[in-house]
PDB file of all heavy atoms in Angstrom:
ATOM      1  N   TRP K 457     -44.393  28.622  18.086  1.00  0.00           N
ATOM      2  CA  TRP K 457     -44.471  27.302  18.741  1.00  0.00           C
ATOM      3  C   TRP K 457     -43.267  26.449  18.337  1.00  0.00           C
ATOM      4  O   TRP K 457     -42.613  25.828  19.170  1.00  0.00           O
ATOM      5  CB  TRP K 457     -45.798  26.647  18.325  1.00  0.00           C
ATOM      6  CG  TRP K 457     -46.042  25.289  18.900  1.00  0.00           C
ATOM      7  CD1 TRP K 457     -46.678  24.993  20.080  1.00  0.00           C
ATOM      8  CD2 TRP K 457     -45.657  24.026  18.324  1.00  0.00           C
ATOM      9  NE1 TRP K 457     -46.718  23.636  20.272  1.00  0.00           N
ATOM     10  CE2 TRP K 457     -46.094  23.010  19.208  1.00  0.00           C
ATOM     11  CE3 TRP K 457     -44.993  23.652  17.155  1.00  0.00           C
ATOM     12  CZ2 TRP K 457     -45.888  21.651  18.954  1.00  0.00           C
ATOM     13  CZ3 TRP K 457     -44.787  22.296  16.907  1.00  0.00           C
ATOM     14  CH2 TRP K 457     -45.230  21.316  17.807  1.00  0.00           C
ATOM     15  N   LYS K 458     -42.958  26.437  17.054  1.00  0.00           N
ATOM     16  CA  LYS K 458     -41.791  25.663  16.583  1.00  0.00           C
ATOM     17  C   LYS K 458     -40.500  26.232  17.161  1.00  0.00           C
ATOM     18  O   LYS K 458     -39.600  25.500  17.549  1.00  0.00           O
ATOM     19  CB  LYS K 458     -41.711  25.710  15.042  1.00  0.00           C
ATOM     20  CG  LYS K 458     -42.720  24.829  14.339  1.00  0.00           C
ATOM     21  CD  LYS K 458     -42.510  24.828  12.826  1.00  0.00           C
ATOM     22  CE  LYS K 458     -41.387  23.886  12.408  1.00  0.00           C
ATOM     23  NZ  LYS K 458     -41.237  23.816  10.938  1.00  0.00           N
ATOM     24  N   LYS K 459     -40.435  27.563  17.181  1.00  0.00           N
ATOM     25  CA  LYS K 459     -39.212  28.208  17.671  1.00  0.00           C
ATOM     26  C   LYS K 459     -38.959  27.835  19.138  1.00  0.00           C
ATOM     27  O   LYS K 459     -37.836  27.479  19.506  1.00  0.00           O
ATOM     28  CB  LYS K 459     -39.360  29.724  17.519  1.00  0.00           C
ATOM     29  CG  LYS K 459     -38.109  30.507  17.795  1.00  0.00           C
ATOM     30  CD  LYS K 459     -38.331  31.973  17.500  1.00  0.00           C
ATOM     31  CE  LYS K 459     -37.170  32.781  18.023  1.00  0.00           C
ATOM     32  NZ  LYS K 459     -37.374  34.215  17.875  1.00  0.00           N
ATOM     33  N   GLU K 460     -40.027  27.878  19.934  1.00  0.00           N
ATOM     34  CA  GLU K 460     -39.876  27.521  21.358  1.00  0.00           C
ATOM     35  C   GLU K 460     -39.361  26.097  21.528  1.00  0.00           C
ATOM     36  O   GLU K 460     -38.679  25.776  22.491  1.00  0.00           O
ATOM     37  CB  GLU K 460     -41.235  27.628  22.073  1.00  0.00           C
ATOM     38  CG  GLU K 460     -41.597  29.043  22.481  1.00  0.00           C
ATOM     39  CD  GLU K 460     -43.092  29.169  22.794  1.00  0.00           C
ATOM     40  OE1 GLU K 460     -43.716  28.131  23.130  1.00  0.00           O
ATOM     41  OE2 GLU K 460     -43.608  30.293  22.673  1.00  0.00           O
ATOM     42  N   ARG K 461     -39.693  25.237  20.579  1.00  0.00           N
ATOM     43  CA  ARG K 461     -39.281  23.830  20.686  1.00  0.00           C
ATOM     44  C   ARG K 461     -38.002  23.527  19.918  1.00  0.00           C
ATOM     45  O   ARG K 461     -37.659  22.357  19.709  1.00  0.00           O
ATOM     46  CB  ARG K 461     -40.412  22.931  20.175  1.00  0.00           C
ATOM     47  CG  ARG K 461     -41.489  22.774  21.212  1.00  0.00           C
ATOM     48  CD  ARG K 461     -42.843  22.434  20.633  1.00  0.00           C
ATOM     49  NE  ARG K 461     -43.834  22.492  21.704  1.00  0.00           N
ATOM     50  CZ  ARG K 461     -44.321  23.631  22.196  1.00  0.00           C
ATOM     51  NH1 ARG K 461     -43.939  24.796  21.719  1.00  0.00           N
ATOM     52  NH2 ARG K 461     -45.193  23.608  23.195  1.00  0.00           N
ATOM     53  N   GLY K 462     -37.323  24.536  19.434  1.00  0.00           N
ATOM     54  CA  GLY K 462     -36.065  24.325  18.703  1.00  0.00           C
ATOM     55  C   GLY K 462     -36.253  23.561  17.414  1.00  0.00           C
ATOM     56  O   GLY K 462     -35.384  22.790  17.003  1.00  0.00           O
ATOM     57  N   MET K 463     -37.409  23.732  16.754  1.00  0.00           N
ATOM     58  CA  MET K 463     -37.696  22.961  15.530  1.00  0.00           C
ATOM     59  C   MET K 463     -37.480  23.776  14.255  1.00  0.00           C
ATOM     60  O   MET K 463     -37.932  23.379  13.183  1.00  0.00           O
ATOM     61  CB  MET K 463     -39.168  22.506  15.538  1.00  0.00           C
ATOM     62  CG  MET K 463     -39.491  21.465  16.579  1.00  0.00           C
ATOM     63  SD  MET K 463     -41.279  21.265  16.764  1.00  0.00           S
ATOM     64  CE  MET K 463     -41.727  20.509  15.215  1.00  0.00           C
ATOM     65  N   LEU K 464     -36.783  24.913  14.364  1.00  0.00           N
ATOM     66  CA  LEU K 464     -36.813  25.803  13.206  1.00  0.00           C
ATOM     67  C   LEU K 464     -35.956  25.406  12.003  1.00  0.00           C
ATOM     68  O   LEU K 464     -36.476  25.325  10.903  1.00  0.00           O
ATOM     69  CB  LEU K 464     -36.472  27.238  13.629  1.00  0.00           C
ATOM     70  CG  LEU K 464     -37.629  27.951  14.319  1.00  0.00           C
ATOM     71  CD1 LEU K 464     -37.326  29.427  14.456  1.00  0.00           C
ATOM     72  CD2 LEU K 464     -38.931  27.763  13.568  1.00  0.00           C
ATOM     73  N   PRO K 465     -34.673  25.164  12.123  1.00  0.00           N
ATOM     74  CA  PRO K 465     -33.942  24.941  10.871  1.00  0.00           C
ATOM     75  C   PRO K 465     -34.432  23.674  10.184  1.00  0.00           C
ATOM     76  O   PRO K 465     -34.718  22.679  10.853  1.00  0.00           O
ATOM     77  CB  PRO K 465     -32.483  24.783  11.326  1.00  0.00           C
ATOM     78  CG  PRO K 465     -32.451  25.234  12.743  1.00  0.00           C
ATOM     79  CD  PRO K 465     -33.830  24.993  13.288  1.00  0.00           C
ATOM     80  N   PRO K 466     -34.572  23.682   8.874  1.00  0.00           N
ATOM     81  CA  PRO K 466     -35.020  22.480   8.184  1.00  0.00           C
ATOM     82  C   PRO K 466     -34.050  21.331   8.421  1.00  0.00           C
ATOM     83  O   PRO K 466     -32.848  21.550   8.576  1.00  0.00           O
ATOM     84  CB  PRO K 466     -35.039  22.873   6.715  1.00  0.00           C
ATOM     85  CG  PRO K 466     -34.641  24.296   6.641  1.00  0.00           C
ATOM     86  CD  PRO K 466     -34.213  24.760   7.982  1.00  0.00           C
ATOM     87  N   GLN K 467     -34.587  20.120   8.423  1.00  0.00           N
ATOM     88  CA  GLN K 467     -33.749  18.958   8.728  1.00  0.00           C
ATOM     89  C   GLN K 467     -33.048  18.513   7.454  1.00  0.00           C
ATOM     90  O   GLN K 467     -33.492  17.590   6.786  1.00  0.00           O
ATOM     91  CB  GLN K 467     -34.621  17.849   9.293  1.00  0.00           C
ATOM     92  CG  GLN K 467     -35.408  18.313  10.496  1.00  0.00           C
ATOM     93  CD  GLN K 467     -36.457  17.292  10.906  1.00  0.00           C
ATOM     94  OE1 GLN K 467     -36.747  16.348  10.197  1.00  0.00           O
ATOM     95  NE2 GLN K 467     -37.015  17.473  12.079  1.00  0.00           N
ATOM     96  N   GLY K 468     -31.959  19.161   7.116  1.00  0.00           N
ATOM     97  CA  GLY K 468     -31.255  18.806   5.881  1.00  0.00           C
ATOM     98  C   GLY K 468     -31.937  19.462   4.703  1.00  0.00           C
ATOM     99  O   GLY K 468     -33.043  19.961   4.831  1.00  0.00           O
ATOM    100  N   PRO K 469     -31.304  19.494   3.536  1.00  0.00           N
ATOM    101  CA  PRO K 469     -31.928  20.170   2.402  1.00  0.00           C
ATOM    102  C   PRO K 469     -33.294  19.574   2.060  1.00  0.00           C
ATOM    103  O   PRO K 469     -33.427  18.376   1.809  1.00  0.00           O
ATOM    104  CB  PRO K 469     -30.939  19.952   1.258  1.00  0.00           C
ATOM    105  CG  PRO K 469     -29.634  19.710   1.928  1.00  0.00           C
ATOM    106  CD  PRO K 469     -29.960  18.998   3.204  1.00  0.00           C
ATOM    107  N   VAL K 470     -34.308  20.416   2.095  1.00  0.00           N
ATOM    108  CA  VAL K 470     -35.661  20.031   1.684  1.00  0.00           C
ATOM    109  C   VAL K 470     -35.990  20.869   0.456  1.00  0.00           C
ATOM    110  O   VAL K 470     -35.802  22.085   0.471  1.00  0.00           O
ATOM    111  CB  VAL K 470     -36.677  20.331   2.810  1.00  0.00           C
ATOM    112  CG1 VAL K 470     -38.094  20.101   2.316  1.00  0.00           C
ATOM    113  CG2 VAL K 470     -36.398  19.482   4.043  1.00  0.00           C
ATOM    114  N   TYR K 471     -36.473  20.227  -0.596  1.00  0.00           N
ATOM    115  CA  TYR K 471     -36.868  20.951  -1.802  1.00  0.00           C
ATOM    116  C   TYR K 471     -38.382  20.893  -1.923  1.00  0.00           C
ATOM    117  O   TYR K 471     -38.967  19.813  -1.860  1.00  0.00           O
ATOM    118  CB  TYR K 471     -36.244  20.322  -3.051  1.00  0.00           C
ATOM    119  CG  TYR K 471     -34.735  20.377  -3.079  1.00  0.00           C
ATOM    120  CD1 TYR K 471     -34.003  19.423  -3.767  1.00  0.00           C
ATOM    121  CD2 TYR K 471     -34.049  21.398  -2.427  1.00  0.00           C
ATOM    122  CE1 TYR K 471     -32.621  19.470  -3.807  1.00  0.00           C
ATOM    123  CE2 TYR K 471     -32.669  21.449  -2.445  1.00  0.00           C
ATOM    124  CZ  TYR K 471     -31.954  20.486  -3.137  1.00  0.00           C
ATOM    125  OH  TYR K 471     -30.592  20.539  -3.158  1.00  0.00           O
ATOM    126  N   PHE K 472     -38.978  22.043  -2.132  1.00  0.00           N
ATOM    127  CA  PHE K 472     -40.440  22.090  -2.189  1.00  0.00           C
ATOM    128  C   PHE K 472     -40.876  22.982  -3.339  1.00  0.00           C
ATOM    129  O   PHE K 472     -40.556  24.171  -3.375  1.00  0.00           O
ATOM    130  CB  PHE K 472     -40.992  22.647  -0.867  1.00  0.00           C
ATOM    131  CG  PHE K 472     -42.468  22.439  -0.717  1.00  0.00           C
ATOM    132  CD1 PHE K 472     -42.964  21.368   0.011  1.00  0.00           C
ATOM    133  CD2 PHE K 472     -43.368  23.298  -1.330  1.00  0.00           C
ATOM    134  CE1 PHE K 472     -44.335  21.157   0.119  1.00  0.00           C
ATOM    135  CE2 PHE K 472     -44.736  23.092  -1.219  1.00  0.00           C
ATOM    136  CZ  PHE K 472     -45.224  22.024  -0.484  1.00  0.00           C
ATOM    137  N   ASP K 473     -41.600  22.403  -4.281  1.00  0.00           N
ATOM    138  CA  ASP K 473     -42.181  23.190  -5.377  1.00  0.00           C
ATOM    139  C   ASP K 473     -43.569  23.644  -4.901  1.00  0.00           C
ATOM    140  O   ASP K 473     -44.431  22.818  -4.608  1.00  0.00           O
ATOM    141  CB  ASP K 473     -42.287  22.302  -6.624  1.00  0.00           C
ATOM    142  CG  ASP K 473     -42.817  23.061  -7.831  1.00  0.00           C
ATOM    143  OD1 ASP K 473     -43.556  24.052  -7.652  1.00  0.00           O
ATOM    144  OD2 ASP K 473     -42.497  22.647  -8.963  1.00  0.00           O
ATOM    145  N   PHE K 474     -43.768  24.974  -4.844  1.00  0.00           N
ATOM    146  CA  PHE K 474     -45.031  25.488  -4.294  1.00  0.00           C
ATOM    147  C   PHE K 474     -46.249  24.919  -5.014  1.00  0.00           C
ATOM    148  O   PHE K 474     -47.317  24.777  -4.419  1.00  0.00           O
ATOM    149  CB  PHE K 474     -45.075  27.016  -4.406  1.00  0.00           C
ATOM    150  CG  PHE K 474     -44.069  27.723  -3.541  1.00  0.00           C
ATOM    151  CD1 PHE K 474     -43.001  28.400  -4.106  1.00  0.00           C
ATOM    152  CD2 PHE K 474     -44.197  27.727  -2.160  1.00  0.00           C
ATOM    153  CE1 PHE K 474     -42.072  29.065  -3.315  1.00  0.00           C
ATOM    154  CE2 PHE K 474     -43.268  28.387  -1.356  1.00  0.00           C
ATOM    155  CZ  PHE K 474     -42.201  29.052  -1.937  1.00  0.00           C
ATOM    156  N   THR K 475     -46.094  24.609  -6.311  1.00  0.00           N
ATOM    157  CA  THR K 475     -47.272  24.132  -7.043  1.00  0.00           C
ATOM    158  C   THR K 475     -47.611  22.680  -6.699  1.00  0.00           C
ATOM    159  O   THR K 475     -48.571  22.127  -7.234  1.00  0.00           O
ATOM    160  CB  THR K 475     -47.091  24.280  -8.567  1.00  0.00           C
ATOM    161  OG1 THR K 475     -45.936  23.538  -8.966  1.00  0.00           O
ATOM    162  CG2 THR K 475     -46.944  25.720  -8.964  1.00  0.00           C
ATOM    163  N   GLU K 476     -46.842  22.076  -5.788  1.00  0.00           N
ATOM    164  CA  GLU K 476     -47.285  20.777  -5.275  1.00  0.00           C
ATOM    165  C   GLU K 476     -48.595  20.951  -4.500  1.00  0.00           C
ATOM    166  O   GLU K 476     -49.339  19.992  -4.314  1.00  0.00           O
ATOM    167  CB  GLU K 476     -46.207  20.172  -4.376  1.00  0.00           C
ATOM    168  CG  GLU K 476     -44.973  19.718  -5.146  1.00  0.00           C
ATOM    169  CD  GLU K 476     -43.909  19.156  -4.217  1.00  0.00           C
ATOM    170  OE1 GLU K 476     -44.141  18.121  -3.586  1.00  0.00           O
ATOM    171  OE2 GLU K 476     -42.818  19.773  -4.126  1.00  0.00           O
ATOM    172  N   ALA K 477     -48.845  22.158  -4.025  1.00  0.00           N
ATOM    173  CA  ALA K 477     -50.147  22.432  -3.397  1.00  0.00           C
ATOM    174  C   ALA K 477     -51.153  22.638  -4.521  1.00  0.00           C
ATOM    175  O   ALA K 477     -51.043  23.587  -5.291  1.00  0.00           O
ATOM    176  CB  ALA K 477     -50.056  23.679  -2.520  1.00  0.00           C
ATOM    177  N   TRP K 478     -52.127  21.757  -4.614  1.00  0.00           N
ATOM    178  CA  TRP K 478     -53.012  21.764  -5.779  1.00  0.00           C
ATOM    179  C   TRP K 478     -53.887  23.009  -5.817  1.00  0.00           C
ATOM    180  O   TRP K 478     -54.303  23.451  -6.877  1.00  0.00           O
ATOM    181  CB  TRP K 478     -53.848  20.483  -5.811  1.00  0.00           C
ATOM    182  CG  TRP K 478     -54.890  20.409  -4.728  1.00  0.00           C
ATOM    183  CD1 TRP K 478     -56.211  20.719  -4.857  1.00  0.00           C
ATOM    184  CD2 TRP K 478     -54.695  20.014  -3.377  1.00  0.00           C
ATOM    185  NE1 TRP K 478     -56.849  20.546  -3.650  1.00  0.00           N
ATOM    186  CE2 TRP K 478     -55.949  20.105  -2.730  1.00  0.00           C
ATOM    187  CE3 TRP K 478     -53.590  19.582  -2.644  1.00  0.00           C
ATOM    188  CZ2 TRP K 478     -56.117  19.794  -1.383  1.00  0.00           C
ATOM    189  CZ3 TRP K 478     -53.764  19.279  -1.301  1.00  0.00           C
ATOM    190  CH2 TRP K 478     -55.007  19.386  -0.695  1.00  0.00           C
ATOM    191  N   GLN K 479     -54.142  23.615  -4.656  1.00  0.00           N
ATOM    192  CA  GLN K 479     -54.972  24.832  -4.691  1.00  0.00           C
ATOM    193  C   GLN K 479     -54.255  25.956  -5.430  1.00  0.00           C
ATOM    194  O   GLN K 479     -54.893  26.797  -6.058  1.00  0.00           O
ATOM    195  CB  GLN K 479     -55.304  25.294  -3.269  1.00  0.00           C
ATOM    196  CG  GLN K 479     -56.130  24.298  -2.466  1.00  0.00           C
ATOM    197  CD  GLN K 479     -55.241  23.432  -1.581  1.00  0.00           C
ATOM    198  OE1 GLN K 479     -54.029  23.332  -1.784  1.00  0.00           O
ATOM    199  NE2 GLN K 479     -55.847  22.789  -0.595  1.00  0.00           N
ATOM    200  N   LEU K 480     -52.924  25.978  -5.334  1.00  0.00           N
ATOM    201  CA  LEU K 480     -52.169  27.002  -6.066  1.00  0.00           C
ATOM    202  C   LEU K 480     -52.265  26.750  -7.564  1.00  0.00           C
ATOM    203  O   LEU K 480     -52.429  27.677  -8.356  1.00  0.00           O
ATOM    204  CB  LEU K 480     -50.705  27.020  -5.599  1.00  0.00           C
ATOM    205  CG  LEU K 480     -49.815  28.039  -6.296  1.00  0.00           C
ATOM    206  CD1 LEU K 480     -50.327  29.462  -6.101  1.00  0.00           C
ATOM    207  CD2 LEU K 480     -48.372  27.949  -5.795  1.00  0.00           C
ATOM    208  N   ARG K 481     -52.200  25.481  -7.939  1.00  0.00           N
ATOM    209  CA  ARG K 481     -52.341  25.164  -9.369  1.00  0.00           C
ATOM    210  C   ARG K 481     -53.727  25.578  -9.869  1.00  0.00           C
ATOM    211  O   ARG K 481     -53.886  26.096 -10.968  1.00  0.00           O
ATOM    212  CB  ARG K 481     -52.116  23.672  -9.614  1.00  0.00           C
ATOM    213  CG  ARG K 481     -50.687  23.220  -9.363  1.00  0.00           C
ATOM    214  CD  ARG K 481     -50.386  21.909 -10.084  1.00  0.00           C
ATOM    215  NE  ARG K 481     -51.259  20.806  -9.703  1.00  0.00           N
ATOM    216  CZ  ARG K 481     -51.090  20.034  -8.620  1.00  0.00           C
ATOM    217  NH1 ARG K 481     -50.078  20.260  -7.793  1.00  0.00           N
ATOM    218  NH2 ARG K 481     -51.908  19.040  -8.357  1.00  0.00           N
TER     219      ARG K 481
END
Side-chain angles (χ1 to χ4, degrees):
W457 180 90
K458 285 185 81 176
K459 188 175 169 185
E460 279 163 24
R461 281 155 188 77
M463 291 167 69
L464 283 191
Q467 305 170 349
V470 173
Y471 297 152
F472 193 97
D473 183 333
F474 293 111
T475 59
E476 290 179 65
W478 70 98
Q479 297 96 342
L480 180 59
R481 293 201 301 277

